[in-house]
Amino acid sequence: FITSKRLPLLNRLDLVTATRDRKLNTFIQVSVVHPAEHVLTRYSSTEIVEGTRDPLFLTGVTFPPEYPIYEETKIKLTVYDVKDKSQDTVSILRSFLGCTTFTVGDLVKSKEQQLTLTLRTSDGGKTVGTIEVNLVKMGELEDGEPCHITTDSQDQKCALVRECTASEGISGKDNLPSLNAGDVKNPICKLYRFPTSDNKWMRIREQMAETILSFHVPKELINLHIKEDMRRNQELKDLGELAPHWDNMRKSVIAHCDQMLSVYQDTLAELGKHTGSSFKSSCSKGEKTLEFIPINLHLQRMHVHSPRLKDALYDVITVGAPAAHFQGFKNGGLRKLLSKFEAERRNTGYQCIYYSPENTAKAKEVLSNINHLQPLISSHADLLLNSASQHSPDSLKNSLKMLSEKTELFVHAFKDQLVRSALLALYTARPGCVLKKPAVPRNSAEEGDDLKHQDHPSQVKRQDSIPHHSEYDEEEWDRVWANVGKSLNCVIAMVDKLLEKDDSGNVKDGEIDPSAADCKHAGDWYEQLYPLVITLKDCMGEVVTRAKQSMAFVLLQELACGLPQCLMLTLRRDIVFSQALAGLVCGFIIKLHTGLHDQGFLQQLHTVGLLVQYEGLLSTYSEEAGMLEDMAVGISDLQKVMFKVVEAKSEDFLPIITGRREHYVIEVQLPAKMFELLPQEIKEGKLLRMYPVLFNVGINEQQTLAERFGDTTLQENINQENLELLKEYYNLFTEKMPPDCLPHFQEQNDLKGLLENLHQNIQAKKRKNVEIMWLAATICRKLNGVRFTCCKSAKDRTSMSVTLEQCSILRDEHQLHKDFFIRALDCMRREGCRIENVLKNVKCRKYAFNMIQLMAFPKYYRPPEGTYGKTDT
Ligand SMILES: O=P(O)(O)O[C@H]1[C@H](O)[C@@H](O)[C@H](O)[C@H](O)[C@@H]1OP(=O)(O)O
């Protein structure tokens, strides 16, 4: 039983009992008696079916594979009639109708794996009806039984039950891709069976799982931040001697930066101690030590097996809106904070030189290029010498090629005017510098307005001693810089000469004379190249020192202008980004695994990139407006992320993150067999781009307040901006992909229409216009994107939204019988994975809504009676 992982099916219930005054509202409670314990444990229940003696149950009962269930295990089924549904199924006002018991062994050994059991009153006397129990495995249903639903209510069937691990279940017989078992934890699985419009059954497996990436990604990222910040602090220290004003500024900046660094280090140390659960519950969202961890991150999957149609998977990542809860939202979120900060910095920067955010970013890029290229060039130069000492012409040519390429990149990296202007600024900040003319660099990198702000304290305060331009040798940098190119040219010329000599020496009468490649020549080659290579390295070293100092000086200005807010803002942005990135990495990996056999998708991935669509349900009122501001920036920052797929060299498949705040590369490891399936471009390490978009529609009572008395422009602006991004992605997609690449006929046209519809809905500025979310999600699915749904905690509103999305997909794509739409929705909300999500988070099976909140919700976002109420969130 355990190995086959088959489990019971509650099949049919016929009740002979009838209440005098009304029809029955029944549900079945399933309890388990473990052989050794003799204690009855309540395990689960079906949904409540109203107003019939022959109920049709849509919800199954499942046992996970690790559940201790044996042939001797007894299952007790108790049937209740519900009088008041406003309570949950434990405290519900209900009356007992009958019960029956069977052993798992009885069911397993029964003919056709089906039992028809008699329901009796509690004293075991009176018969009150029958109940049919089946043992069914997902994927087997049609083989074992007719799948037509007869009109005779006596013959109605109900839901099946079979639990499986997330990976085993889906990858098994159905040949559908699995979740990456290594990354996914604590899967929960629910099964339902719903009627189709042509009276057949479709089977639905709903799964939900956490991921160890919730912690892995933030830890990797914090590690990178620590390295980046340590390097920057060192660069500030390496700026050399500065005049007292600048030196004091530097001291203060370094002190603040060191303090900040220890915040990151402490957080990482705390996370290192974390064991146990791989998700952060909604209750922990304000915890300082967990602020980098995404809230309640889960994969929510629906697997549909419907008659005559191909099996289909629908994945949504559910996660709390990436936001800095510990820092709070008193002053708003990142969107507002960043622009306010930038405006202030621009206007109050007289103590330091103002560099625009673009130039600061450029400075960071130059520094990163230096740090990357210098050691690379050095090692290519060593390889060249090595080839020379081995007197190997081919390897000499190759090493020279690599050396030239990298040196060219290196020289190119400093072409920027910013380096030139920063060098001059730094010159004026050195002790004893007496300039006689305004120190405006010849080719200032700062244009227009920025120029006006490129003030200098010495200029502001000491107008009399206005420095003279001629004292700064502007050509010096050009010479230093050009020397790298010149010394490379010398190396190239020498290699050419050596090879030429070698050719003429080795070839006699058109034939190569092997004896000519003797050690004497080898010595010559090395000795002749060595001094030139050393000169190249020296020249490069000179450029590096100057460029590094000048760029570090730019960073010093950035930090000094906004201390300490700029460091707090960076921390806030890092926190929000970390939460967003954890979700994205999870979404990407899942998508890659499910799309491995889809050539069209893989081509789209490397030619266009991946669309990542976020549905936000936050209100634009009070604190949630701040969360939305954080979330919008966090999601937009994901544009800085690129993915690369590599073949795993060990059993550890965890992704590796490299880069710095401006640009990250996530290396996703695939086992050899899966890696083989990828197109050559991806195998060769092509970087894969991300296109994140966010659409938000507040739905709760707070949003009502925002609409009536507050402001909804934040939501409108976000939706408008992201619509443009979505259109851009669509245009790229149509440009780069063949017209027939989408699976369904007419899909491309549909997409155009959907985009237009979305555009109109966004323009319409209608209240709580949830159509926006449905349209955006549909477009995302049609464009093979990754779907996210987020509210504050990803627990209550998110659960309403993903279940609604699931049932809407069943209705629109799988012909769910229209009379069963609401029942399917209620079933999923009452008995499905999402109520388990609530339980995981707040240890209570109730969505945290009250009646007032629900009245404010759009109709289809209201959960069934008995599933909501006051909870300690
Ligand atoms: O999962 P959420 O929808 O963000 O949970 C909300 C819920 O919607 C709301 O009704 C309730 O009053 C709480 O604010 C919930 O948030 P918690 O973060 O407190 O779980």
Side-chain angles (χ1 to χ4, degrees):
F1 180 75
I2 295 296
T3 49
S4 71
K5 295 192 185 94
R6 289 160 158 232
L7 291 154
L9 159 75
L10 301 179
N11 217 20
R12 182 168 59 205
L13 177 59
D14 293 333
L15 294 165
V16 291
T17 313
T19 49
R20 255 164 281 130
D21 51 343
R22 60 178 182 85
K23 287 187 175 166
L24 295 172
N25 301 327
T26 46
F27 80 96
I28 302 170
Q29 186 171 293
V30 182
S31 309
V32 179
V33 186
H34 295 291
E37 293 168 9
H38 302 290
V39 193
L40 199 67
T41 314
R42 182 181 176 272
Y43 184 76
S44 78
S45 357
T46 65
E47 81 275 22
I48 301 167
V49 181
E50 292 179 55
T52 174
R53 287 190 301 128
D54 314 302
L56 167 70
F57 294 104
L58 304 180
T59 320
V61 184
T62 70
F63 295 94
E66 67 278 7
Y67 192 85
I69 193 160
Y70 308 97
E71 289 200 356
E72 313 82 67
T73 306
K74 279 190 189 146
I75 309 278
K76 183 177 180 187
L77 308 174
T78 313
V79 184
Y80 292 100
D81 173 31
V82 176
K83 302 223 166 68
D84 175 9
K85 289 201 300 162
S86 60
Q87 303 292 314
D88 69 13
T89 39
V90 181
S91 46
I92 208 161
L93 192 55
R94 64 196 185 180
S95 61
F96 171 87
L97 288 179
C99 63
T100 187
T101 308
F102 65 95
T103 67
V104 170
D106 289 346
L107 180 62
V108 174
K109 291 173 196 154
S110 63
K111 203 170 160 231
E112 288 173 356
Q113 305 200 315
Q114 177 181 308
L115 293 174
T116 303
L117 303 160
T118 306
L119 283 170
R120 294 184 188 280
T121 50
S122 53
D123 56 7
K126 215 174 134 202
T127 300
V128 292
T130 56
I131 189 163
E132 207 175 85
V133 182
N134 270 12
L135 186 68
V136 180
K137 189 173 162 186
M138 181 88 165
E140 260 184 4
L141 200 62
E142 276 104 342
D143 317 339
E145 58 179 320
C147 61
H148 257 94
I149 305 166
T150 64
T151 43
D152 175 4
S153 65
Q154 295 291 314
D155 243 6
Q156 285 176 344
K157 312 274 184 203
C158 77
L160 71 115
V161 184
R162 180 197 183 272
E163 182 61 292
C164 52
T165 58
S167 50
E168 169 269 330
I170 289 188
S171 60
K173 175 177 168 172
D174 310 315
N175 200 22
L176 280 171
S178 65
L179 304 183
N180 186 342
D183 295 347
V184 157
K185 285 275 171 298
N186 295 332
I188 289 172
C189 181
K190 300 278 173 174
L191 282 112
Y192 316 90
R193 192 170 60 163
F194 300 137
T196 58
S197 44
D198 55 353
N199 285 342
K200 304 248 196 260
W201 290 109
M202 67 167 98
R203 279 169 287 139
I204 319 302
R205 187 195 338 250
E206 191 193 24
Q207 287 175 286
M208 187 185 74
E210 14 175 295
T211 161
I212 52 175
L213 298 171
S214 279
F215 280 79
H216 172 75
V217 170
K219 283 201 270 187
E220 287 267 299
L221 203 58
I222 298 173
N223 220 341
L224 281 181
H225 293 326
I226 292 174
K227 285 188 188 147
E228 184 181 339
D229 293 350
M230 281 172 90
R231 216 181 302 124
R232 183 211 42 213
N233 292 1
Q234 191 55 47
E235 279 156 4
L236 291 176
K237 287 172 192 162
D238 292 344
L239 260 175
E241 262 195 280
L242 295 175
H245 165 79
W246 299 105
D247 199 39
N248 288 338
M249 178 185 281
R250 170 172 54 179
K251 279 188 189 133
S252 155
V253 165
I254 291 179
H256 275 96
C257 287
D258 281 343
Q259 230 174 9
M260 219 51 197
L261 192 60
S262 60
V263 171
Y264 287 87
Q265 284 163 332
D266 293 348
T267 308
L268 189 61
E270 284 301 319
L271 289 178
K273 289 184 209 152
H274 182 92
T275 50
S277 162
S278 44
F279 93 110
K280 172 168 112 182
S281 77
S282 65
C283 308
S284 315
K285 61 179 164 297
E287 262 180 49
K288 168 102 187 85
T289 53
L290 296 178
E291 50 185 353
F292 282 80
I293 311 299
I295 304 159
N296 191 16
L297 173 62
H298 282 86
L299 165 69
Q300 169 82 21
R301 167 170 286 181
M302 178 170 75
H303 171 190
V304 189
H305 181 89
S306 38
R308 288 194 300 272
L309 291 172
K310 247 181 95 187
D311 276 20
L313 280 187
Y314 300 92
D315 287 343
V316 180
I317 308 290
T318 62
V319 63
H325 287 269
F326 180 77
Q327 290 193 21
F329 307 96
K330 218 169 60 217
N331 302 315
L334 278 172
R335 213 170 133 108
K336 191 189 287 162
L337 292 173
L338 285 171
S339 58
K340 201 170 141 214
F341 173 75
E342 200 43 48
E344 281 171 6
R345 205 168 77 88
R346 223 171 220 275
N347 297 329
T348 58
Y350 77 97
Q351 285 291 325
C352 43
I353 304 169
Y354 177 80
Y355 288 97
S356 66
E358 295 72 38
N359 274 328
T360 311
K362 212 178 275 170
K364 289 178 188 166
E365 195 185 325
V366 173
L367 278 168
S368 141
N369 281 337
I370 299 174
N371 293 330
H372 170 69
L373 287 171
Q374 191 188 17
L376 214 62
I377 295 175
S378 225
S379 76
H380 284 308
D382 293 343
L383 282 176
L384 185 86
L385 287 178
N386 205 21
S387 314
S389 68
Q390 287 170 3
H391 198 94
S392 159
D394 283 346
S395 120
L396 194 71
K397 276 185 219 159
N398 277 341
S399 313
L400 181 67
K401 186 169 171 269
M402 299 301 285
L403 180 68
S404 311
E405 274 173 20
K406 299 297 169 213
T407 312
E408 233 163 78
L409 282 180
F410 177 82
V411 172
H412 190 75
F414 303 111
K415 259 194 192 148
D416 211 295
Q417 292 304 332
L418 177 68
V419 183
R420 192 184 295 278
S421 71
L423 273 169
L424 171 57
L426 177 60
Y427 176 83
T428 64
R430 295 288 186 207
C433 161
V434 186
L435 294 178
K436 300 212 179 100
K437 252 174 101 186
V440 178
R442 196 182 45 174
N443 291 309
S444 173
E446 305 291 337
E447 287 168 6
D449 269 350
D450 293 352
L451 252 179
K452 286 189 256 154
H453 297 281
Q454 241 187 5
D455 291 337
H456 189 289
S458 58
Q459 300 156 24
V460 174
K461 290 175 197 148
R462 290 182 281 127
Q463 291 293 318
D464 295 342
S465 60
I466 282 180
H468 195 279
H469 195 213
S470 63
E471 297 208 351
Y472 176 69
D473 182 358
E474 285 181 81
E475 260 87 69
E476 196 189 351
W477 166 245
D478 290 337
R479 284 194 297 274
V480 173
W481 184 51
N483 279 346
V484 178
K486 282 186 193 157
S487 57
L488 176 71
N489 285 344
C490 292
V491 174
I492 295 172
M494 178 55 77
V495 169
D496 284 349
K497 201 167 116 193
L498 294 173
L499 289 174
E500 209 175 286
K501 259 199 211 164
D502 193 58
D503 270 356
S504 52
N506 289 351
V507 180
K508 285 182 196 152
D509 302 330
E511 275 181 27
I512 294 168
D513 174 12
S515 64
D518 57 19
C519 303
K520 171 172 71 134
H521 279 105
D524 282 346
W525 278 22
Y526 180 85
E527 277 153 26
Q528 299 200 48
L529 271 174
Y530 180 77
L532 299 179
V533 166
I534 294 301
T535 310
L536 173 66
K537 281 188 180 178
D538 287 348
C539 293
M540 195 173 61
E542 182 68 10
V543 169
V544 165
T545 313
R546 285 168 192 249
K548 252 188 170 180
Q549 287 184 339
S550 69
M551 293 298 95
F553 190 67
V554 173
L555 296 194
L556 176 68
Q557 308 310 310
E558 186 212 20
L559 292 160
C561 278
L563 273 181
Q565 301 97 301
C566 74
L567 291 176
M568 284 311 285
L569 268 181
T570 304
L571 174 66
R572 186 178 193 113
R573 202 166 179 175
D574 288 345
I575 288 167
V576 172
F577 178 72
S578 163
Q579 296 180 18
L581 184 67
L584 175 68
V585 176
C586 169
F588 178 87
I589 293 179
I590 298 289
K591 187 76 197 170
L592 182 67
H593 279 245
T594 52
L596 273 178
H597 295 275
D598 181 346
Q599 288 313 312
F601 164 71
L602 293 172
Q603 187 191 347
Q604 180 184 349
L605 188 59
H606 72 80
T607 50
V608 192
L610 186 65
L611 178 67
V612 189
Q613 183 254 330
Y614 291 80
E615 166 180 319
L617 297 152
L618 292 170
S619 67
T620 51
Y621 197 75
S622 182
E623 289 211 323
E624 287 200 4
M627 287 173 214
L628 182 56
E629 286 176 6
D630 273 356
M631 182 186 190
V633 172
I635 287 171
S636 160
D637 278 350
L638 294 175
Q639 291 172 17
K640 302 185 292 194
V641 178
M642 286 186 146
F643 282 80
K644 184 173 165 180
V645 189
V646 297
E647 188 178 339
K649 295 284 173 256
S650 69
E651 287 298 290
D652 173 11
F653 298 126
L654 285 170
I656 300 156
I657 310 180
T658 52
R660 59 198 171 82
R661 284 188 180 86
E662 272 66 32
H663 175 64
Y664 289 103
V665 174
I666 319 290
E667 276 187 21
V668 171
Q669 309 195 64
L670 278 189
K673 270 195 181 157
M674 291 186 174
F675 188 76
E676 265 314 295
L677 302 169
L678 296 172
Q680 200 53 31
E681 291 86 343
I682 300 184
K683 277 192 201 160
E684 281 167 5
K686 186 161 179 191
L687 292 177
L688 311 170
R689 278 200 65 174
M690 298 296 113
Y691 292 85
V693 291
L694 161 67
F695 294 96
N696 188 82
V697 178
I699 56 167
N700 66 4
E701 78 293 353
Q702 299 273 69
Q703 190 60 22
T704 312
L705 293 177
E707 283 161 353
R708 302 241 166 100
F709 315 110
D711 186 4
T712 54
T713 47
L714 173 64
Q715 175 174 296
E716 284 155 17
N717 292 345
I718 289 175
N719 290 348
Q720 188 56 50
E721 286 161 23
N722 283 274
L723 176 68
E724 296 310 317
L725 295 174
L726 181 59
K727 281 183 184 164
E728 255 172 54
Y729 180 82
Y730 173 73
N731 289 341
L732 266 182
F733 176 87
T734 45
E735 227 171 77
K736 295 192 172 178
M737 293 294 288
D740 57 349
C741 63
L742 287 173
H744 306 299
F745 179 65
Q746 272 282 316
E747 206 90 311
Q748 203 114 328
N749 281 341
D750 290 358
L751 265 167
K752 251 193 199 155
L754 285 166
L755 271 168
E756 184 46 41
N757 203 349
L758 179 62
H759 176 93
Q760 276 161 14
N761 272 283
I762 288 173
Q763 296 299 314
K765 296 187 180 163
K766 233 169 89 185
R767 287 179 179 180
K768 294 190 185 166
N769 187 359
V770 289
E771 187 67 12
I772 290 178
M773 304 201 284
W774 174 245
L775 287 165
T778 309
I779 293 169
C780 171
R781 281 194 302 271
K782 285 185 188 283
L783 282 168
N784 286 319
V786 178
R787 280 270 303 107
F788 278 79
T789 298
C790 313
C791 56
K792 176 167 61 163
S793 296
K795 170 173 63 70
D796 303 315
R797 282 165 290 179
T798 292
S799 295
M800 297 307 107
S801 185
V802 288
T803 45
L804 176 59
E805 183 174 346
Q806 287 178 173
C807 289
S808 306
I809 290 171
L810 294 178
R811 180 197 56 205
D812 295 352
E813 309 280 333
H814 299 272
Q815 293 143 21
L816 171 67
H817 196 299
K818 67 174 176 11
D819 296 349
F820 283 81
F821 179 77
I822 296 291
R823 276 198 55 193
L825 196 54
D826 284 353
C827 262
M828 283 184 182
R829 289 172 177 173
R830 188 185 287 278
E831 308 298 336
C833 292
R834 297 314 301 190
I835 197 80
E836 304 293 341
N837 182 276
V838 173
L839 182 69
K840 275 175 89 163
N841 277 281
V842 292
K843 314 261 178 306
C844 163
R845 276 175 190 277
K846 271 185 194 292
Y847 300 110
F849 301 133
N850 58 37
M851 275 311 284
I852 297 174
Q853 284 173 311
L854 287 192
M855 276 155 60
F857 275 16
K859 186 170 157 210
Y860 291 116
Y861 288 80
R862 299 172 192 163
E865 260 185 75
T867 61
Y868 58 88
K870 194 175 169 331
T871 59
D872 291 329
T873 57

